[in-house]
Amino acid sequence: MSLQFDTRPAAYAVIIRDDRLLMAYWKQDGKEGWTLPGGGLDIGEHPVDGCRREVLEETGYEARIDRMLGVDVGHWPGEARDGSGRDFQALRLVYEATIVGGELTHEIDGSTTHAAWIPLGDVGKLNRVSLVDIALGLYRDRPEDGKPAGKTS
């Protein structure tokens, strides 16, 4: 017996500048919260290219992807997701990135409403998606030698 489920690969960026985290406010299908800039990859799109594209779309900034921090897998049962009965698995690649150009703007007609630089000390007080805490943990645990960190479960 094979389990039928949907999988979506996505790439997200942890961008910290002056002790502030660049975040985007996600609002879709009656759910909302602060998240990292990033999102689903297009068919055939390299994750690094997708991460840069998503950062630009959601924040207006051009980003340099510095290194992979790790991978997270999210799972949502079909009934809780949309009542379809098909479970959903998110394969989320998390990168450390740096702003190299652009200016803060808000996404039009997308899944995020606005972006902002949030003081790191305030992130824990926000309504946020679980990926934020996972990614910040990967960022804190990153090796100092520049090699990618391991995966999370």
Side-chain angles (χ1 to χ4, degrees), residues 9 40-50 53:
L41 301 177
D42 293 336
I43 297 292
E45 183 176 38
H46 191 282
V48 169
D49 296 332
R53 175 184 53 76

Side-chain angles (χ1 to χ4, degrees), residues 77-112:
E79 293 306 316
R81 173 183 166 210
D82 60 8
S84 70
R86 286 179 66 93
D87 285 13
F88 178 75
Q89 174 177 278
L91 180 65
R92 303 183 289 196
L93 294 87
V94 181
Y95 294 94
E96 181 177 3
T98 304
I99 299 301
V100 295
E103 61 183 53
L104 186 64
T105 57
H106 306 304
E107 184 175 29
I108 306 293
D109 297 325
S111 60
T112 62

Side-chain angles (χ1 to χ4, degrees), residues 24-95:
Y25 196 80
W26 169 78
K27 191 171 186 175
Q28 188 174 9
D29 299 327
K31 299 174 187 157
E32 60 185 278
W34 286 98
T35 188
L36 298 173
L41 301 177
D42 293 336
I43 297 292
E45 183 176 38
H46 191 282
V48 169
D49 296 332
C51 192
R52 281 194 299 252
R53 175 184 53 76
E54 287 284 345
V55 170
L56 182 62
E57 287 175 2
E58 294 180 355
T59 70
Y61 288 118
E62 296 172 24
R64 177 186 70 231
I65 307 304
D66 298 321
R67 66 173 152 175
M68 177 177 262
L69 295 173
V71 177
D72 179 62
V73 176
H75 171 251
W76 293 267
E79 293 306 316
R81 173 183 166 210
D82 60 8
S84 70
R86 286 179 66 93
D87 285 13
F88 178 75
Q89 174 177 278
L91 180 65
R92 303 183 289 196
L93 294 87
V94 181
Y95 294 94

